[in-house]
Amino acid sequence: MAYERVRELMESLKLTGMMNSLDFSLHNWGKGEKDVTELLEELLLAEVKEKSERRYLTALKYSGLPFHKTLEEFDFSFQPSIDRKQIMELKSLRFLYEKENVVLLGPPGVGKTHLAVALGMEALREGKKVYFVNAISLVDKLKKAFSERRFEKTIGYFKSIELLIVDELGYLPLENEGAKLFFELVSEKYEKGSIILTSNRGFAEWNRIFEDEILATAVLDRLLHHCTIVNIRGKSYRLREKQKTGLIGTQLISSLGH
């Protein structure tokens, strides 16, 4: 039968979207609601949607994102210090197309990583290359690449990433070699791609991260030249959950939010 042959051909050509939509589209076409051209358009659009979803899921798998959360899941009412309009502007990804950076500052647990991941997922939906990495892990990768004489190749890879998300800069200081290599990376991506960076330290404390005030200033100069800064001064979501269970008192959470 022609119908079975068509399905076999779609399967052999891996036209999964068209194959999954075939019965529904043929049913509508049989009722006289569409002409042949509209039927073909509907099937082709189904295939485009299927391939787009597959690309997204593959990119999501290799992005390194530690979890999958969206901006719609973020509780802005719990963090009133955040300008919601500013975050929605970031959601438009204008910063990404203009190769600007985003720095999210604040104490542990206030939602910095959630926001960074959510913006990363928005970028993936746009078909952009995204890679998420912890700051210490990133520096370790750079140091290993340098010792194995493949630093230029590694830097080339990070330059090809349209959105590099560097999480938790500042929890541990960077020793001299690692700090210099991190500076090289930031310099190479300057005005060529975007970085989203989260940190628990204000800029005045960055000399404690890099242990070299000149190097800290150089990193900040390139990172902040074209940058949106989100400074979160709120309480910890994680501690809020502990409070609900009665494991932590309200007074302790309040003190940690300041």
Side-chain angles (χ1 to χ4, degrees), residues 91-194:
K91 183 182 179 181
S92 74
L93 301 182
R94 179 195 59 79
F95 78 94
L96 188 59
Y97 287 99
E98 297 186 6
K99 297 178 172 57
E100 298 177 353
N101 302 317
V102 178
V103 175
L104 300 157
L105 301 175
V110 295
K112 302 185 299 297
T113 303
H114 181 154
L115 291 173
V117 166
L119 291 171
M121 292 185 69
E122 292 289 336
L124 285 170
R125 282 288 182 192
E126 286 279 307
K128 302 302 181 183
K129 293 175 69 175
V130 176
Y131 187 71
F132 178 103
V133 63
N134 176 274
I136 295 300
S137 296
L138 172 62
V139 170
D140 287 342
K141 289 177 188 291
L142 296 176
K143 287 166 63 178
K144 184 177 181 182
F146 185 80
S147 67
E148 295 176 355
R149 300 177 183 271
R150 51 181 180 83
F151 184 71
E152 291 301 321
K153 183 178 180 180
T154 300
I155 286 291
Y157 167 74
F158 283 119
K159 282 175 66 176
S160 74
I161 299 295
E162 290 158 294
L163 178 58
L164 175 63
I165 303 175
V166 182
D167 195 39
E168 297 187 336
L169 181 69
Y171 281 87
L172 293 173
L174 305 179
E175 45 77 37
N176 195 46
E177 179 192 1
K180 288 180 179 178
L181 294 177
F182 182 80
F183 167 73
E184 288 291 330
L185 173 61
V186 172
S187 296
E188 287 293 331
K189 286 196 70 67
Y190 176 62
E191 296 186 332
K192 299 184 184 71
S194 295

Side-chain angles (χ1 to χ4, degrees), residues 26-247:
L26 284 175
H27 176 71
N28 287 340
W29 181 66
K31 293 191 298 184
E33 296 180 2
K34 299 180 184 294
D35 61 29
V36 174
T37 304
E38 290 175 315
L39 170 64
L40 288 172
E41 180 186 27
E42 185 175 288
L43 290 171
L44 289 168
L45 286 172
E47 186 60 32
V48 168
K49 182 179 179 181
E50 172 75 16
K51 281 184 164 49
S52 176
E53 185 65 18
R54 248 182 287 159
R55 281 195 299 269
Y56 167 74
L57 292 175
T58 299
L60 183 62
K61 178 181 178 181
Y62 291 104
S63 66
L65 293 175
F67 50 79
H68 304 156
K69 288 188 178 181
T70 65
L71 289 175
E72 287 70 29
E73 295 175 88
F74 191 83
D75 186 359
F76 286 94
S77 65
F78 190 70
Q79 300 295 11
S81 68
I82 297 178
D83 183 349
R84 186 169 185 154
K85 288 183 179 179
Q86 183 185 45
I87 302 302
M88 291 302 107
E89 163 63 17
L90 292 174
K91 183 182 179 181
S92 74
L93 301 182
R94 179 195 59 79
F95 78 94
L96 188 59
Y97 287 99
E98 297 186 6
K99 297 178 172 57
E100 298 177 353
N101 302 317
V102 178
V103 175
L104 300 157
L105 301 175
V110 295
K112 302 185 299 297
T113 303
H114 181 154
L115 291 173
V117 166
L119 291 171
M121 292 185 69
E122 292 289 336
L124 285 170
R125 282 288 182 192
E126 286 279 307
K128 302 302 181 183
K129 293 175 69 175
V130 176
Y131 187 71
F132 178 103
V133 63
N134 176 274
I136 295 300
S137 296
L138 172 62
V139 170
D140 287 342
K141 289 177 188 291
L142 296 176
K143 287 166 63 178
K144 184 177 181 182
F146 185 80
S147 67
E148 295 176 355
R149 300 177 183 271
R150 51 181 180 83
F151 184 71
E152 291 301 321
K153 183 178 180 180
T154 300
I155 286 291
Y157 167 74
F158 283 119
K159 282 175 66 176
S160 74
I161 299 295
E162 290 158 294
L163 178 58
L164 175 63
I165 303 175
V166 182
D167 195 39
E168 297 187 336
L169 181 69
Y171 281 87
L172 293 173
L174 305 179
E175 45 77 37
N176 195 46
E177 179 192 1
K180 288 180 179 178
L181 294 177
F182 182 80
F183 167 73
E184 288 291 330
L185 173 61
V186 172
S187 296
E188 287 293 331
K189 286 196 70 67
Y190 176 62
E191 296 186 332
K192 299 184 184 71
S194 295
I195 296 173
I196 293 180
L197 186 146
T198 76
S199 178
N200 65 319
R201 293 188 180 276
F203 299 131
E205 298 181 286
W206 277 36
N207 61 320
R208 295 170 61 183
I209 300 174
F210 293 94
E211 299 182 349
D212 183 328
E213 189 170 346
I214 294 175
L215 191 58
T217 301
V219 170
L220 283 170
D221 179 61
R222 286 157 180 77
L223 195 64
L224 301 184
H225 185 205
H226 308 291
C227 184
T228 298
I229 301 168
V230 180
N231 198 353
I232 308 173
R233 301 176 301 279
K235 301 173 184 177
S236 168
Y237 285 101
R238 291 188 288 269
L239 291 181
R240 179 184 65 172
E241 296 306 312
K242 295 293 186 183
Q243 182 190 11
K244 288 180 180 179
T245 65
L247 296 175

